[in-house]
Amino acid sequence: MDTRICTICKFEKSYSEFSKSKKGKNGHAEQCKACRLIKDREYYKKSPEIVLAKHERWAKKNPEKILANQRAYYERNREKILAKLKETRKVNGYNTTKKYKQNNKDKIACHNYVALAIKFGHIIRPESCDNCKVKCKPDAHHHDYTKPLEVTWVCRKCHGKEHRLDLPA
């Protein structure tokens, strides 16, 4: 017996068209994948905040799975991603860098100031992150660009978190 009847569309389909489920008969779900997808989309339209909150909870618990999925996606679609990037650069040129430099002169000046201060020994870069205490070559994170030498020394991972916290809501 390699088939099952979907409880929604009432068609007899092969087990490959049903998701696996411990609750279902013979280890498969009651609804076929196509019907389940439609039902899930309708639920999302009715209550997106519940679905997004559930997704955020899962994402916080499983960052390594998300990273693995992102890497796998990149490996599968590397040529397509690079082609799209090349096309974007062809359209925009490298103006995005130019625009960033024009719009963020204060940030760039602070970065350069810190780099020179490190080079001439006015600031000594610690050997570990101030947040997580991991031994690394930490980045200088500015909370206020008007005070270029007031920095927090953070690893790349913590630095990314700091910038995500600084985003406007």
Side-chain angles (χ1 to χ4, degrees):
M1 184 174 206
D2 293 312
T3 61
R4 179 173 189 157
I5 297 172
C6 174
T7 57
I8 296 177
C9 66
K10 309 293 185 205
F11 286 110
E12 188 173 345
K13 299 182 178 185
S14 70
Y15 277 127
S16 65
E17 295 185 56
F18 291 85
S19 298
K20 297 203 183 238
S21 172
K22 291 179 184 177
K23 295 177 185 176
K25 203 184 261 185
N26 296 328
H28 289 84
E30 295 175 344
Q31 303 102 8
C32 66
K33 291 177 184 177
C35 291
R36 186 74 225 175
L37 180 65
I38 292 167
K39 199 171 179 182
D40 287 345
R41 284 184 179 167
E42 287 172 0
Y43 180 73
Y44 178 79
K45 284 180 183 176
K46 288 179 187 172
S47 52
E49 61 283 338
I50 294 171
V51 176
L52 291 174
K54 183 179 178 182
H55 176 72
E56 284 179 21
R57 284 193 306 272
W58 181 88
K60 283 183 181 177
K61 289 180 184 176
N62 300 290
E64 65 285 339
K65 286 183 181 179
I66 291 172
L67 186 61
N69 287 341
Q70 288 171 338
R71 286 183 176 153
Y73 176 84
Y74 179 79
E75 289 304 316
R76 284 192 315 271
N77 300 293
R78 188 168 190 265
E79 288 80 27
K80 191 168 96 175
I81 292 167
L82 293 176
K84 189 173 180 181
L85 181 62
K86 192 174 183 179
E87 184 63 31
T88 303
R89 286 184 176 159
K90 198 181 281 184
V91 171
N92 297 335
Y94 287 88
N95 289 339
T96 52
T97 307
K98 231 183 239 183
K99 285 179 188 174
Y100 178 83
K101 286 181 179 180
Q102 287 171 347
N103 295 336
N104 298 288
K105 290 181 180 180
D106 57 333
K107 289 182 182 182
I108 293 167
C110 281
H111 296 293
N112 292 339
Y113 198 73
V114 170
L116 287 172
I118 292 169
K119 182 178 179 179
F120 294 117
H122 300 293
I123 294 179
I124 297 171
R125 183 193 305 264
E127 293 184 8
S128 63
C129 174
D130 288 348
N131 290 353
C132 64
K133 308 300 181 207
V134 170
K135 194 169 186 164
C136 62
K137 184 179 175 185
D139 295 339
H141 175 68
H142 292 90
H143 293 283
D144 183 2
Y145 287 105
T146 60
K147 302 169 186 169
L149 294 179
E150 286 186 23
V151 294
T152 306
W153 295 99
V154 289
C155 64
R156 289 287 164 107
K157 189 174 180 182
C158 292
H159 202 175
K161 287 178 186 174
E162 289 284 336
H163 280 281
R164 285 188 289 280
L165 291 174
D166 290 346
L167 288 174

